[in-house]
């Protein structure tokens, strides 16, 4: 199993770079960041510094979207980083939550996302692509490679990930839901004539190592609120009791009243009081190292290739070091 670290690009950027360097020293292979241009600093600028100060870390957004940048700019940015540092980037992409809504726009449609996945990958790898009837190619790209991994929860998005993406990003670590969603992605890949094993599976969730479960839950409760934004969209689309979306995912948002993006992804978020302890325990990895290993082995058996640690809490260095000392050596393939 591979491991990644997920950070927000809060200033100072030097701290983000330092934590990514620490992650690489501890055996992490991926460095991910949020991508929401109003809420945080520009990640692609920071990726250049991370790549300069690491040797093997693969970096990318978790996740960007097709609406905040034109597709040729997104592709050119990835291709430039790859040309400078070797093919060490990955494009995590989704419909867009905070990046779009903070700017007063709705998340992108799945049809737009599907088109963008193909265009961004093709351009970044040096192939010609059509954007709005205009054929474009980046003539300077040589031997470029850009895996595109898609974040998804709902049935249509899961199907799209299986049909087109190089990897699937699931932002929660509940084994039951992981099994259900991985099956949906792999079935869609097979139906599209692809080898399901070609679609990498990444589970991303907060991890907090320690014996004080009450404190760990409070540090990670924000995650249930963040996931709840996507779940609320699914309930609005499919209904509260739809057979197309598991009740294990949707039931907990009944008490959700709203969401203020100024607290997005942060410990102590006041808009996440509706998230019960049971959801925090299911969606996140909390407790001593042994508890993390037990859950990660369950996920590995379900076909998860990478676990990406959300480290938006008060023990970022501690969790990076604990994973480097005790978790990654036990699970690295």
């Amino acid at each position: 199993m591979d491991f990644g670290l997920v950070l927000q690009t809060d200033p100072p950027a030097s701290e983000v770079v330092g934590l990514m360097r620490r992650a690489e020293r501890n055996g992490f292979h991926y460095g991910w960041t949020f991508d929401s241009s109003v809420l945080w600093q520009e990640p692609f600028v920071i990726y250049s510094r991370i790549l300069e100060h690491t040797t093997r870390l693969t970096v990318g957004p978790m996740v960007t979207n097709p609406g905040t940048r034109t597709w040729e700019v997104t592709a050119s940015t990835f291709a430039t980083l790859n040309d400078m540092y070797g093919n060490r980037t990955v494009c995590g992409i989704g419909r867009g939550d905070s990046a779009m809504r903070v700017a007063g726009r709705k998340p992108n449609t799945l049809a737009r996302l599907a088109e963008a996945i193909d265009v961004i990958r093709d351009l970044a790898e040096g192939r010609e692509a059509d954007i709005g009837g205009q054929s474009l190619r980046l003539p300077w790209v040589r031997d470029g490679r850009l895996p595109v991994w898609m974040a998804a929860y709902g049935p249509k998005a899961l199907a799209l990930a299986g049909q087109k993406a190089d990897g699937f990003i699931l932002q929660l670590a509940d084994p039951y839901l992981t099994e259900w969603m991985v099956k949906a992605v792999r079935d869609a890949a097979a139906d599209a004539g692809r080898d399901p094993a070609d679609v990498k599976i990444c589970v991303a969730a907060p991890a907090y190592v320690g014996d004080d479960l009450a404190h760990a839950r409070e540090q990670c409760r924000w995650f249930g609120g963040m996931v709840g934004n996507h779940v609320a969209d699914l309930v609005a689309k499919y209904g509260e009791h739809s057979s197309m979306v598991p009740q294990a995912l949707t039931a907990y948002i009944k008490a959700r009243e709203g969401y203020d993006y100024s607290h997005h992804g942060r410990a102590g978020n006041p808009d996440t009081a509706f998230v019960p302890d049971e959801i925090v325990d299911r969606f996140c990895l909390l407790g001593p190292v042994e508890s993390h290993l037990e859950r990660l082995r369950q996920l590995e058996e379900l076909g998860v290739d990478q676990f990406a640690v959300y480290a938006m809490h008060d023990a970022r260095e501690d969790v990076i070091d604990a994973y480097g000392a005790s978790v990654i050596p036990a699970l690295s393939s």
Side-chain angles (χ1 to χ4, degrees):
M1 179 181 280
D2 266 335
F3 289 84
L5 177 68
V6 189
L7 299 174
Q8 293 170 336
T9 52
D10 287 313
S14 59
E15 188 169 318
V16 178
V17 175
L19 288 168
M20 290 298 186
R21 293 179 69 187
R22 189 183 196 119
E24 184 180 66
R25 291 196 301 271
N26 276 282
F28 289 75
H29 288 161
Y30 285 79
W32 303 91
T33 75
F34 282 40
D35 177 18
S36 191
S37 300
V38 174
L39 296 178
W40 301 288
Q41 292 186 328
E42 174 54 41
F44 287 93
V45 176
I46 299 172
Y47 295 157
S48 188
R49 294 289 289 173
I50 294 170
L51 289 165
E52 181 181 5
H53 289 284
T54 57
T55 59
R56 65 181 184 279
L57 206 66
T58 295
V59 304
M62 189 179 280
V63 293
T64 193
N65 72 86
T68 53
R69 297 178 179 84
T70 60
W71 303 349
E72 67 271 21
V73 170
T74 299
S76 180
T77 305
F78 278 113
T80 301
L81 291 171
N82 284 337
D83 188 65
M84 293 172 68
Y85 300 105
N87 290 318
R88 292 171 54 203
T89 66
V90 57
C91 177
I93 196 168
R95 293 177 60 223
D97 176 31
S98 63
M100 295 297 287
R101 287 177 164 131
V102 167
R105 287 171 277 175
K106 294 181 179 179
N108 297 270
T109 65
L110 287 176
R112 180 174 170 83
L113 177 57
E115 186 179 0
I117 288 173
D118 288 337
V119 167
I120 291 168
R121 185 198 289 120
D122 283 345
L123 289 176
E125 295 186 346
R127 294 183 294 276
E128 189 174 274
D130 182 279
I131 303 180
Q134 179 69 39
S135 292
L136 299 176
R137 187 175 70 86
L138 304 181
W140 47 268
V141 173
R142 297 289 183 272
D143 301 318
R145 182 177 180 274
L146 182 66
V148 180
W149 295 18
M150 180 182 156
Y153 291 106
K156 292 183 179 179
L158 294 169
L160 177 58
Q163 292 158 6
K164 287 191 174 289
D166 300 297
F168 163 51
I169 297 170
L170 173 58
Q171 292 164 308
L172 54 79
D174 174 75
Y176 171 79
L177 291 172
T178 298
E179 183 175 20
W180 188 87
M181 294 187 187
V182 168
K183 182 179 185 302
V185 169
R186 287 183 166 159
D187 286 350
D191 290 344
R194 304 179 66 193
D195 183 347
D198 288 343
V199 183
K200 296 294 184 183
I201 308 295
C202 174
V203 162
Y208 199 104
V209 179
D211 295 323
D212 188 344
L213 282 178
H215 180 74
R217 285 173 180 141
E218 290 312 309
Q219 287 293 304
C220 298
R221 198 175 303 277
W222 62 266
F223 185 66
M226 187 183 84
V227 173
N229 292 330
H230 303 285
V231 174
D233 287 344
L234 294 179
V235 170
K237 183 176 181 66
Y238 296 103
E240 185 178 341
H241 302 292
S242 171
S243 61
M244 298 182 72
V245 183
Q247 287 289 296
L249 178 62
T250 61
Y252 83 98
I253 68 160
K254 288 181 180 179
R256 181 181 183 270
E257 296 180 353
Y259 194 82
D260 181 351
Y261 280 93
S262 65
H263 306 290
H264 189 56
R266 299 187 186 278
N269 186 333
D271 294 323
T272 58
F274 72 93
V275 180
D277 288 351
E278 182 238 349
I279 287 293
V280 182
D281 291 348
R282 279 174 44 203
F283 286 10
C284 306
L285 271 66
L286 313 175
V289 165
E290 292 74 18
S291 297
H292 291 246
L293 289 172
E294 181 181 2
R295 178 77 66 83
L296 289 167
R297 287 187 175 112
Q298 286 181 284
L299 295 173
E300 191 172 40
E301 288 177 2
L302 296 173
V304 174
D305 299 291
Q306 180 187 155
F307 178 64
V309 175
Y310 276 107
M312 279 63 80
H313 50 56
D314 64 2
R316 296 185 300 180
E317 292 87 352
D318 290 345
V319 76
I320 293 168
D321 292 347
Y323 265 61
S326 304
V327 176
I328 293 175
L331 293 173
S332 292
S333 54

